[in-house]
Amino acid sequence: MLRKVFGSAVFGIEATIITVEVNIDKGIGYHLVGLPDNAIKESNYRIAAALQHNGYKIPGKKITINMAPADMRKEGSAYDLTLAMGILAASEQIKADNLADYLIMGELSLDGTLQPIKGALPIAIKAKEAGFKGFILPAENAKEAAIVSGLEVYSVTDIKEVIAYFNENTPLQPTVVNIADEFAKALEFPEFDFADVKGQESIKRSMEIAAAGGHNIILIGPPGSGKTMLAKRLPSILPPMTLDEALETTKIHSVTGRTINSGIMNARPFRSPHHTISDVALVGGGAYPQPGEISMAHNGVLFLDELPEFKRSVLEVMRQPLEDREVTISRAKFTVTYPSSFMLVASMNPSPGGYFNDPDAPVATSPAEMQRYLSKISGPLLDRIDIHIEVTPVPFEKLSEERKGERSTIIRERVNKARRIQTNRFEKLPNIHYNAQMNTKQIRMYCQLDEASLQLLKSAMERLNLSARAYDRILKVARTIADLEEAEQINGTHISEAIQYRSLDREGWLS
């Protein structure tokens, strides 16, 4: 007898419906076709043990299973429950009148209990689009899948519950998630708060500007000056995610299995990969494509600590995603695209020893060593970083103060106001939401200067020997500073402050 049951494959961050056709006929054998990987080929052992422990069996006949579309590679153990239900239905051990109304996924343990799967959210979205009545999956994934409205999501802990649902009409209660409540659980009092930072007022100001305009930022300072501590607090002042942003971010984390036992992601991600990371781990890919760190940081922050310690090849592959805000992985047999719209926060020592131009430095650095160290950061990568800020150690008097600094929630209110101004400004422009995304044409349109401001910028570029790449960056940052002050026009004060945030363009840093 031939029966059909439905599962799903995730490719990139999008799901595809997989039709599992099970045919049982006279003869002996077990044939699984349709480009399954080794985990799926081994499923018959898990299925046999699980059915035996629950009073059922794989029939001793010729079983042919086709996973369609047959030219798409399928991977993972999440098809165990799909295959098992197809075998039971085709061998008439259970009723299967409405089996085709449901999408069924889950990994089987040998005793029949279910293990969680990856990609529950994109699969649920696809199930709704395909018109399925419901989605049956392991309990650990139910909260995530139930985010999708208009689809009944049934959580089960073992195969007995699924069999009882179809065979005996034993009811399953659909999982219900209040998206508004889940989304409202964003941290009002974040774990890392700027109130805990002593001193560093100018650095906090620069990070507020970076957050307000979505600007990439690099912190340059000696060891122990607080670069990492400051970077960890940046997400606490970023605007809360919109529902669309939260869903897209959750989809990316879902396909890597990081959303098990959790619902929608309501906090912006903060990713901090080690400097030994490989190209593939950073941008994504592999034999079975997975999103990399830059996609895991989508709608959040990617922090690269000690930037010159990263391999140059790793930094170079990041250039295009920084510009396009997505990364496309192309191989001979597949092409996938992952979103990667993130804020880059980098940190570095000013020299190999960490104490450039410090008369009390324990280790002196020669000009040749300085040049080798700084040349690890290419000009094109530096081009994509709007704000360069020097971080100096906090003096003892500041460290010993008991007075708390300004809370992140207060800073975030100012950031939100500036972002709303930018949203209104760019509402008619596609794919532009904040100042950092402006191209040259839009900079000329929205960053016009009066004669005095223009002369100030010209004088500064000549006297400080600023490079040509600094010009547009200064205008973008000045536009954000003006937005924070709710000023329509950029004036000399905004330009003066923006010029301070181009340390690495000055003579003596990078040639």
Side-chain angles (χ1 to χ4, degrees):
M1 179 175 287
L2 174 66
R3 287 292 185 183
K4 294 183 180 181
V5 64
F6 296 92
S8 181
V10 178
F11 198 66
I13 59 170
E14 302 299 330
T16 301
I17 300 299
I18 301 297
T19 303
V20 177
E21 301 171 317
V22 182
N23 185 66
I24 297 181
D25 209 342
K26 293 179 181 179
I28 296 175
Y30 185 91
H31 308 285
L32 181 58
V33 297
L35 290 182
D37 71 349
N38 286 334
I40 301 175
K41 290 176 182 177
E42 294 170 350
S43 64
N44 62 315
Y45 299 108
R46 294 189 294 272
I47 293 170
L51 293 183
Q52 183 182 359
H53 275 85
N54 290 277
Y56 297 88
K57 64 179 181 179
I58 292 182
K61 295 184 179 181
K62 182 181 177 181
I63 302 174
T64 304
I65 302 175
N66 178 45
M67 304 181 75
D71 61 346
M72 178 185 291
R73 186 169 180 81
K74 293 84 180 176
E75 61 182 72
S77 54
Y79 299 98
D80 289 359
L81 184 59
T82 320
L83 296 171
M85 295 306 294
I87 291 170
L88 289 174
S91 60
E92 299 183 310
Q93 297 182 67
I94 64 168
K95 297 175 184 177
D97 298 336
N98 58 343
L99 193 64
D101 295 337
Y102 297 87
L103 195 147
I104 303 172
M105 298 287 287
E107 176 188 335
L108 283 171
S109 298
L110 297 184
D111 63 354
T113 57
L114 291 174
Q115 301 297 322
I117 64 172
K118 296 178 181 179
L121 179 56
I123 292 173
I125 293 171
K126 190 64 179 179
K128 179 186 176 182
E129 291 175 356
F132 285 96
K133 179 182 177 182
F135 181 16
I136 297 174
L137 77 170
E140 291 91 338
N141 300 115
K143 191 174 180 182
E144 173 191 341
I147 295 169
V148 180
S149 59
L151 177 72
E152 293 182 353
V153 174
Y154 298 104
S155 68
V156 290
T157 56
D158 56 46
I159 193 172
K160 285 190 296 186
E161 293 182 49
V162 187
I163 293 172
Y165 179 67
F166 288 105
N167 218 22
E168 303 168 11
N169 294 321
T170 302
L172 290 174
Q173 292 301 318
T175 302
V176 178
V177 172
N178 188 316
I179 299 178
D181 288 348
E182 288 292 316
F183 194 60
K185 290 179 182 177
L187 295 175
E188 184 67 25
F189 300 101
E191 179 183 1
F192 299 107
D193 197 304
F194 273 107
D196 302 324
V197 179
K198 299 295 180 72
Q200 305 285 29
E201 299 304 326
S202 62
I203 317 302
K204 287 189 276 189
R205 167 68 175 172
S206 68
M207 299 197 85
E208 178 181 339
I209 294 168
H215 302 288
N216 300 324
I217 183 171
I218 184 168
L219 309 173
I220 311 119
S225 56
K227 302 186 295 295
T228 303
M229 177 189 68
L230 288 159
K232 286 183 176 179
R233 282 156 175 77
L234 181 60
S236 68
I237 63 173
L238 290 173
M241 284 201 289
T242 64
L243 183 57
D244 288 342
E245 286 178 331
L247 285 170
E248 192 171 35
T249 305
T250 305
K251 281 174 68 176
I252 297 170
H253 287 251
S254 174
V255 300
T256 62
R258 288 179 169 86
T259 53
I260 293 171
N261 283 319
S262 64
I264 193 168
M265 291 184 63
N266 51 23
R268 294 189 181 273
F270 179 87
R271 306 294 298 180
S272 180
H274 193 261
H275 62 79
T276 57
I277 192 171
S278 68
D279 305 18
V280 171
L282 185 70
V283 300
Y288 301 116
Q290 288 283 301
E293 287 292 332
I294 63 173
S295 295
M296 299 295 289
H298 182 59
N299 291 321
V301 174
L302 178 69
F303 176 49
L304 301 183
D305 197 9
E306 301 302 338
L307 188 65
E309 299 299 329
F310 285 79
K311 290 185 292 185
R312 179 145 185 163
S313 62
V314 171
L315 297 179
E316 292 306 296
V317 297
M318 194 171 59
R319 281 163 43 186
Q320 199 63 36
L322 273 170
E323 197 73 25
D324 297 340
R325 301 191 180 273
E326 65 179 20
V327 57
T328 300
I329 311 297
S330 297
R331 298 292 185 268
K333 295 184 179 180
F334 66 84
T335 298
V336 294
T337 298
Y338 297 112
S340 59
S341 180
F342 58 90
M343 270 188 67
L344 173 64
V345 181
S347 75
M348 60 178 284
N349 293 332
S351 65
Y355 299 93
F356 177 60
N357 280 348
D358 187 345
D360 300 322
V363 180
T365 303
S366 70
E369 289 175 322
M370 273 292 301
Q371 187 58 38
R372 279 197 302 271
Y373 180 72
L374 294 174
S375 66
K376 293 182 180 180
I377 309 172
S378 69
L381 176 62
L382 197 65
D383 249 352
R384 291 159 173 80
I385 302 178
D386 295 344
I387 297 176
H388 314 154
I389 187 74
E390 295 178 54
V391 183
T392 55
V394 181
F396 177 78
E397 291 75 14
K398 289 284 186 182
L399 286 173
S400 58
E401 280 185 355
E402 293 186 7
R403 183 173 60 88
K404 288 266 188 180
E406 193 173 31
R407 294 193 66 89
S408 290
T409 50
I410 297 173
I411 300 173
R412 188 167 62 186
E413 288 177 9
R414 296 196 294 269
V415 170
N416 288 342
K417 284 183 181 178
R419 283 288 184 103
R420 284 194 289 270
I421 291 171
Q422 294 165 53
T423 299
N424 293 335
R425 176 184 300 133
F426 303 127
E427 63 180 350
K428 295 182 180 179
L429 298 176
N431 302 320
I432 296 184
H433 307 288
Y434 43 84
N435 291 334
Q437 296 175 322
M438 287 191 292
N439 59 28
T440 303
K441 180 181 178 181
Q442 288 139 11
I443 290 172
R444 300 294 176 267
M445 184 182 300
Y446 297 113
C447 302
Q448 297 179 1
L449 303 180
D450 57 30
E451 187 61 30
S453 300
L454 193 61
Q455 288 301 317
L456 174 63
L457 180 55
K458 178 183 177 182
S459 174
M461 293 190 70
E462 291 173 350
R463 292 180 59 187
L464 298 175
N465 197 29
L466 295 177
S467 64
R469 72 167 71 101
Y471 180 77
D472 284 353
R473 307 297 169 187
I474 289 172
L475 290 178
K476 283 185 183 182
V477 173
R479 179 68 269 172
T480 300
I481 296 169
D483 290 340
L484 281 167
E485 295 182 2
E486 301 182 45
E488 288 193 17
Q489 291 296 122
I490 299 173
N491 60 37
T493 306
H494 307 141
I495 291 290
S496 297
E497 184 175 0
I499 290 168
Q500 298 176 33
Y501 302 135
R502 298 301 301 178
S503 299
L504 291 181
D505 283 321
R506 297 175 192 172
E507 187 175 14
W509 280 101
L510 288 178
S511 58

